[in-house]
Amino acid sequence: MAGQGVKPIASLLLGLNFCMYAIVAAISGWALNVAIDRGFIIGPGLVLPAHFSPVFFPIGNAATGFLVIFALIAGVVGAAAAIAGVHHIRTWNYDSLPSAASSGIVAWALTLLAMGLACKEIELKGRNACLRTVEAFLIILSATQLVYILAIHGVRRI
């Protein structure tokens, strides 16, 4: 089958993307846990602060809540897309391409959404090292996921 030359590239990108998506999901999960543990608790007799946001995160800035939630979703969907991609890499035929390509495109779209929020968070400044790691990984993943999608479409009929 033609297109066997891009199979090693697609395999490398698949492994890289899986590891990066897992790291993004883990750090985003940690940040969500911090927000739940340190968040504002409304008890009897307490009122909401003047600028309270339902997506309040005690770390980072105003965009952190949205970034963490969308990065967590993108990380989980991206890792699942990588698992679907393993089947395509193993078989490398037209029957396995649609599932790998569609899940990869959905993961890429969610990664682009999270990357846009990461860019907004970078613009607002005031975040810690873990959030900067998530931002960097999302920016890198937006490119590597696109290259992976293009590589798996390298399968051509003879």
Side-chain angles (χ1 to χ4, degrees):
M1 171 175 259
Q4 291 290 333
V6 295
K7 188 176 178 181
I9 296 169
S11 299
L12 176 71
L13 287 170
L14 183 68
L16 176 70
N17 287 352
F18 178 77
C19 292
M20 290 180 70
Y21 275 125
I23 292 169
V24 165
I27 295 174
S28 299
W30 167 82
L32 187 61
N33 187 42
V34 167
I36 290 170
D37 288 345
R38 297 188 206 162
F40 184 78
I41 299 171
I42 302 172
L46 294 176
V47 294
L48 290 174
H51 298 288
F52 178 73
S53 170
V55 192
F56 172 74
F57 275 68
I59 55 175
N61 53 39
T64 301
F66 298 104
L67 170 70
V68 167
I69 291 170
F70 283 103
L72 185 59
I73 293 169
V76 171
V77 172
I83 292 169
V86 168
H87 174 68
H88 176 63
I89 295 295
R90 283 185 38 226
T91 59
W92 200 252
N93 60 27
Y94 285 102
D95 296 332
S96 63
L97 179 62
S99 63
S102 61
S103 61
I105 290 171
V106 169
W108 180 59
L110 289 170
T111 303
L112 287 178
L113 179 61
M115 185 204 64
L117 291 165
C119 292
K120 183 62 177 178
E121 182 162 313
I122 291 169
E123 178 187 333
L124 294 176
K125 297 183 178 35
R127 64 236 191 262
N128 65 10
C130 289
L131 293 174
R132 285 193 295 266
T133 302
V134 169
E135 294 162 0
F137 276 27
L138 287 170
I139 292 168
I140 293 166
L141 276 167
S142 65
T144 58
Q145 185 70 13
L146 175 63
V147 174
Y148 164 73
I149 291 167
L150 294 174
I152 63 173
H153 279 88
V155 179
R156 289 190 280 275
R157 263 179 223 230
I158 296 176

